[in-house]
Amino acid sequence: MSIAVAHPNIALVKYWGKRDDALMLPATGSLSLTLDIFPTTTRVDVDPTAEGDVITFDGEPATGPVAQRITAFLELVRALSGSTASARVDTRNSVPTGAGLASSASGFAALAVAAADAYGLDLDQRALSRLARRGSGSACRSIIGGTAIWHAGTDDATSFAEPIDGPELGMVIAVVDDRAKAVSSREAMRRTRDTSPYAEAWEQAAGADLVAMQEAFARRDIPAIGELTESNALRMHAAIMAARPPIRYLAPQSIALFDAADRMRAHGLQAYATADAGPNVAFLCAADDVDIVRDALTTDIPAGRLIAAHAGAGARLVEAPA
Ligand code: PMV
């Protein structure tokens, strides 16, 4: 019995676009904060008597694409371990799945750690990050606690996340809509690459943003980190919106929340907005400012839809389900 817990991460410099779909190599590197909220808990038992993997997702038997994706991932682990035995997988998210709240990141990070242990692989953090990447790109960063940089790399061995030193950061998540998104990030990335006239410009800008972000981290310069975070997110969404058929992840309320970040800064509060592949908005701030930022946002969105978060632990094995 192997049980692992992992948390979602939110990118400050986004990963959007692959250079290799099979190996899940990103077009550009990215940088993120792993949070201490919305854990995924995943249990894996190797069961040589089972005919095929038996997968339970949030208490229900998993079928279709969800089950296929998990089985495809287990095939990688079996190939690494030389085993042909099936597995029983039980995975539980405490985050709404598919709503741009990074459930695939915590999900595949927890699955990588639990499955590697269940199949007897002894992998260090870098190898676990590379493995998690194969499940969902952003999952390689949830292996790491706190702030992580994912080096784009040029092949399987060189594309992994590792910790990066910087200031103590926190986030406030504003849940605009917790329903699953209409277009998966996988499909949206493909469509952006294939049809958006801004795809190439995005890649160039993201590469430059990552360099500037590393410098801002080294200086522990929160205003510079925040400005890059907000601008990088808007550049990603601009490239996505320009795809055909267009994809608009940001809802009217999401845009209003970017206005709220402007307003907070006009009042001297250093808070910066970002959004992944969905309408929810995350506000980045100094760890000590999280409660003030949350309180300041209650004029924009009900308090019950605001979740305060700090830096969380990387994916790890646990003795029993949380
Ligand atoms: O790893 P995926 O396929 O869930 O893609 C993640 C994409 C974004 O969340 C929008 C950006 C990122 O770097 O996490």
Side-chain angles (χ1 to χ4, degrees), residues 7-15 30-38 95 99-103 105-106 138-139 141-142 144 146-149 169-174 213 217 225 229 232-233 236 272-277 280-284 307 309-312:
H7 293 85
N9 70 78
I10 302 281
L12 314 188
V13 175
K14 307 290 187 193
Y15 147 57
S30 53
L31 191 150
S32 61
L33 176 66
T34 296
L35 304 177
D36 61 352
I37 54 169
F38 299 149
V95 41
L101 288 170
S103 60
S106 55
S138 56
R141 298 186 313 236
S142 277
I144 315 297
T147 43
I149 180 166
L169 298 170
M171 278 189 179
V172 177
I173 312 292
M213 187 64 91
F217 260 63
I225 291 169
T229 297
N232 180 264
M236 177 186 78
Y272 302 86
T274 182
D276 283 343
N280 303 313
V281 176
F283 292 88
L284 178 73
I307 300 138
H310 292 88

Side-chain angles (χ1 to χ4, degrees), residues 115-183:
D117 185 66
Y119 280 93
L121 295 171
D122 185 19
L123 304 182
D124 62 12
Q125 193 178 58
R126 181 178 296 191
L128 284 169
S129 178
R130 287 169 49 206
L131 178 61
R133 187 196 81 230
R134 304 289 297 276
S136 184
S138 56
C140 76
R141 298 186 313 236
S142 277
I143 295 292
I144 315 297
T147 43
I149 180 166
W150 175 10
H151 304 288
T154 51
D155 59 12
D156 176 49
T158 52
S159 189
F160 58 88
E162 64 181 353
I164 178 169
D165 230 22
E168 299 287 319
L169 298 170
M171 278 189 179
V172 177
I173 312 292
V175 182
V176 170
D177 187 343
D178 60 10
R179 286 171 300 183
K181 57 196 168 218
V183 186

Side-chain angles (χ1 to χ4, degrees), residues 2 8 49 56 66 68 84 105 109-110 122-123 137 172 215 225 241-242 287 292 301:
S2 304
T49 64
T56 310
V66 172
Q68 277 163 23
T84 54
D122 185 19
L123 304 182
V172 177
E215 289 165 4
I225 291 169
M241 276 190 261
I292 310 172
I301 184 162

Side-chain angles (χ1 to χ4, degrees), residues 4-320:
V5 173
H7 293 85
N9 70 78
I10 302 281
L12 314 188
V13 175
K14 307 290 187 193
Y15 147 57
W16 195 260
K18 297 176 177 69
R19 64 180 276 175
D20 184 318
D21 292 345
L23 283 176
M24 216 72 113
L25 300 179
T28 52
S30 53
L31 191 150
S32 61
L33 176 66
T34 296
L35 304 177
D36 61 352
I37 54 169
F38 299 149
T40 297
T41 305
T42 298
R43 172 179 170 160
V44 178
D45 298 275
V46 175
D47 183 354
T49 64
E51 281 185 36
D53 300 317
V54 181
I55 300 158
T56 310
F57 195 93
D58 286 336
E60 304 283 332
T63 52
V66 172
Q68 277 163 23
R69 224 172 138 184
I70 292 174
T71 289
F73 186 80
L74 291 171
E75 288 299 338
L76 288 171
V77 178
R78 284 190 277 264
L80 284 172
S81 69
S83 167
T84 54
S86 297
R88 293 182 181 277
V89 176
D90 184 341
T91 185
R92 285 165 203 274
N93 282 311
S94 65
V95 41
T97 300
L101 288 170
S103 60
S104 68
S106 55
F108 280 101
L111 182 62
V113 170
D117 185 66
Y119 280 93
L121 295 171
D122 185 19
L123 304 182
D124 62 12
Q125 193 178 58
R126 181 178 296 191
L128 284 169
S129 178
R130 287 169 49 206
L131 178 61
R133 187 196 81 230
R134 304 289 297 276
S136 184
S138 56
C140 76
R141 298 186 313 236
S142 277
I143 295 292
I144 315 297
T147 43
I149 180 166
W150 175 10
H151 304 288
T154 51
D155 59 12
D156 176 49
T158 52
S159 189
F160 58 88
E162 64 181 353
I164 178 169
D165 230 22
E168 299 287 319
L169 298 170
M171 278 189 179
V172 177
I173 312 292
V175 182
V176 170
D177 187 343
D178 60 10
R179 286 171 300 183
K181 57 196 168 218
V183 186
S184 71
S185 55
R186 191 168 286 201
E187 158 60 16
M189 276 186 207
R190 192 199 55 71
R191 201 185 298 172
T192 305
R193 181 184 62 194
D194 293 349
T195 69
S196 174
Y198 308 140
E200 226 179 276
W202 153 255
E203 282 178 23
Q204 275 171 22
D209 282 353
L210 186 62
V211 173
M213 187 64 91
Q214 286 172 264
E215 289 165 4
F217 260 63
R219 295 195 308 273
R220 296 173 188 266
D221 181 344
I222 291 183
I225 291 169
E227 279 161 27
L228 282 163
T229 297
E230 193 168 299
S231 158
N232 180 264
L234 292 171
R235 285 177 169 186
M236 177 186 78
H237 283 280
I240 295 171
M241 276 190 261
R244 267 188 195 161
I247 302 165
R248 285 174 290 115
Y249 283 126
L250 299 177
Q253 196 177 9
S254 321
I255 303 289
L257 288 167
F258 275 74
D259 286 346
D262 284 341
R263 189 198 67 223
M264 285 189 277
R265 294 197 293 273
H267 287 89
L269 190 52
Q270 299 305 316
Y272 302 86
T274 182
D276 283 343
N280 303 313
V281 176
F283 292 88
L284 178 73
C285 58
D288 287 344
D289 287 346
V290 161
D291 291 341
I292 310 172
V293 169
R294 187 195 46 212
D295 291 349
L297 285 165
T298 53
T299 52
D300 302 276
I301 184 162
R305 294 188 156 265
L306 293 167
I307 300 138
H310 292 88
R316 66 193 188 284
L317 289 169
V318 294
E319 293 293 316

